[in-house]
Amino acid sequence: MPISFQKNAGALVIVLHGSGGNGLGMEVGTGFSSLADQVGFAVVYPDGLFESMGGQTNWAYFFNDFADDVGFIRQLVQTLEGSIQFDPRKVYVTGLSSGALMSHRLGVQLADRVAAIGVVEGALFYDAPANGAMLPSAGAPVSVLILHGDHDGTIPTCGTPTEASQDQTFNYWAGSLACSRIDPLDPVCDGQGNITAVTEKVASSCNANAEVRFYKLIGGTHTWNTVPMNVPGQAPFNPNFNGATGVTTRDILWNFFAAHPKP
């Protein structure tokens, strides 16, 4: 916890690794700890359990119920609330890959505690049964930021028959949060499953001023990017990134989190 952290005012950011990873790897690979020192928020990097079927560490995202990770993260938040006394309106979750999938689940099922989630190369569900899209609505308003590379071959932008597309994911959150304004109305993927020219999509005028925001990372793959993503001709790239949004993954996520505490 940084020296500049202020009790009852500072935020808590939970960063979730991908399958086969661990918390230490995420700390090293994301740079969130140095940003926490600069800004003054608390950050934690929990370890997922070993999943025997997959033979590696993982998270119990939707339709992968090998552990009670929702209960684990709830207990983690409660424990840290007692020990470091963060602002309960400022609990944020982000993750990469399976950690991103888990971030979606926590946004839905831990919505009473989580103010916003940041999803890096993930989707709402993965390897789901035929009724996979039949998910509950979030229990409370949660803001959602999605960063997804159009060259992600692990979790494709346009999904598969058993994996949610970014349009399904975005539309789920926009509907769950009763957002009345979507800009643009054009989809991320067309009817043939091809990625469109849409680089940013925003759902606003949602319950409790929540917001859903999607950014396509042009040339982006299944990874957490630490390089600036606003340089034309360099991959990944998004023309909408600037000083206000941030230009690296870490800064884009934090700027979004800082603007979306619970009301």
Side-chain angles (χ1 to χ4, degrees):
M1 187 172 66
I3 296 175
S4 57
F5 180 83
Q6 296 183 357
K7 291 184 177 180
N8 303 312
L12 172 65
V13 177
I14 301 170
V15 184
L16 305 178
H17 61 76
S19 57
N22 57 49
L24 178 60
M26 284 299 282
E27 181 175 16
V28 173
T30 63
F32 255 114
S33 289
S34 60
L35 181 63
D37 290 339
Q38 296 170 28
V39 177
F41 60 86
V43 58
V44 61
Y45 308 88
D47 289 330
L49 293 175
F50 182 81
E51 182 187 12
S52 58
M53 181 174 294
Q56 58 187 354
T57 54
N58 208 352
W59 297 105
Y61 45 81
F62 280 122
F63 308 110
N64 188 36
D65 297 311
F66 76 99
D68 181 16
D69 282 335
V70 174
F72 164 59
I73 298 298
R74 180 178 291 280
Q75 184 59 55
L76 175 65
V77 171
Q78 291 174 350
T79 299
L80 291 173
E81 187 172 26
S83 60
I84 66 175
Q85 299 174 41
F86 55 80
D87 185 336
R89 301 179 306 115
K90 300 176 181 177
V91 177
Y92 308 110
V93 179
T94 185
L96 169 68
S97 190
S98 69
L101 287 155
M102 189 66 205
S103 296
H104 276 303
R105 184 166 192 173
L106 292 171
V108 175
Q109 296 187 312
L110 210 63
D112 59 314
R113 300 307 316 263
V114 174
I117 62 172
V119 179
V120 182
E121 306 303 331
L124 184 60
F125 59 81
Y126 180 84
D127 198 21
N131 63 345
M134 302 301 293
L135 297 173
S137 295
V142 174
S143 290
V144 180
L145 173 63
I146 300 168
L147 305 177
H148 204 88
D150 61 1
H151 282 55
D152 187 334
T154 303
I155 300 180
T157 298
C158 297
T160 73
T162 59
E163 299 166 22
S165 69
Q166 294 307 309
D167 281 311
Q168 286 175 291
T169 300
F170 183 94
N171 292 339
Y172 163 86
W173 281 109
S176 184
L177 298 171
C179 303
S180 60
R181 181 177 180 181
I182 296 177
D183 184 33
L185 292 174
D186 298 329
V188 176
C189 299
D190 64 21
Q192 288 71 49
N194 300 309
I195 300 174
T196 69
V198 172
T199 59
E200 178 185 23
K201 196 173 176 75
V202 180
S204 57
S205 298
C206 312
N207 287 342
N209 294 319
E211 180 184 41
V212 185
R213 188 173 289 267
F214 167 86
Y215 289 111
K216 179 173 69 181
L217 307 182
I218 301 170
T221 59
H222 195 74
T223 190
W224 185 291
N225 298 287
T226 57
V227 300
M229 296 185 286
N230 66 332
V231 182
Q234 179 175 294
F237 171 69
N238 187 293
N240 306 103
F241 292 151
N242 53 41
T245 62
V247 298
T248 65
T249 301
R250 178 196 71 175
D251 294 338
I252 294 165
L253 290 167
W254 172 248
N255 288 351
F256 183 84
F257 289 162
H260 294 89
K262 280 195 177 297

